[in-house]
Amino acid sequence: MSHSMSGGVNMNMDNSTCKVEMLWNWNIVDSCFLASSWHIKNNAMFAASCIGAALLVVCLEFLRRVGKEYDAYVLRQFQRQLRLQQSQISKESIDCCDGTVAMGGSQVANFRATALQQLVRAAIHGATLCVAYIVMLLIMYYNGYIFISIVLGAILGRFLCDWMVVRIPYEGQGSMDDRKTSTVSAGPTGCCA
């Protein structure tokens, strides 16, 4: 292993030099990524690596979407169960109280995921984090072509996996400012709306 003047590391493997640059570069042949086994020996291998990097980011966006959809699914299950319980309670109270229902203060139902639901949520989060860190490590090789592939993969992933849905109520009284809107969206890191 020898250090080059450009800030990279050259490793000799099978009579070819593996270039690992720590500065912005446009290297193709003899580039290495993540492991010595990912040694690019020709243009076709590099093209496959670029396509793979883009598909990895599409996979990341897919996992983020799966996480959001699973959370929404679990919440819908709880809401459905809560509506059934509320209808049974109101039917029982009407039957036992001769049609009068006491209207008290507002009630709140707390939802807590079951252990299995939380395990599935944690597994999805772990897989998402793993793929995100692999993408981050690829970016840290500062290869312009891989960087462009990752950006294109993010665009494609967002287009395919995170279609924006906005629910705007249009019936009833009040102006548009008074009505609630909800979006299914997250920031570029997946943590902020």
Side-chain angles (χ1 to χ4, degrees), residues 76-124:
R76 282 191 310 269
Q77 273 186 326
F78 173 71
Q79 289 171 336
R80 195 171 23 248
Q81 183 182 21
L82 186 63
R83 281 193 296 271
L84 285 173
Q85 289 175 352
Q86 287 174 334
S87 66
Q88 289 174 353
I89 290 171
S90 63
K91 182 181 176 192
E92 289 172 5
S93 63
I94 289 173
D95 291 342
C96 77
C97 301
D98 298 328
T100 59
V101 178
M103 301 298 283
S106 64
Q107 295 180 355
V108 176
N110 290 326
F111 171 69
R112 183 179 176 102
T114 65
L116 179 61
Q117 290 169 336
Q118 191 65 10
L119 180 64
V120 171
R121 293 179 74 240
I124 293 169

Side-chain angles (χ1 to χ4, degrees), residues 36 49 53 55 57-59 73 92 96 128-129 148 152 160 181:
S36 60
S49 295
L55 291 177
V57 183
V58 171
C59 180
Y73 168 74
E92 289 172 5
C96 77
T128 304
L129 189 67
I148 291 169
L152 292 175
L160 294 175
T181 62

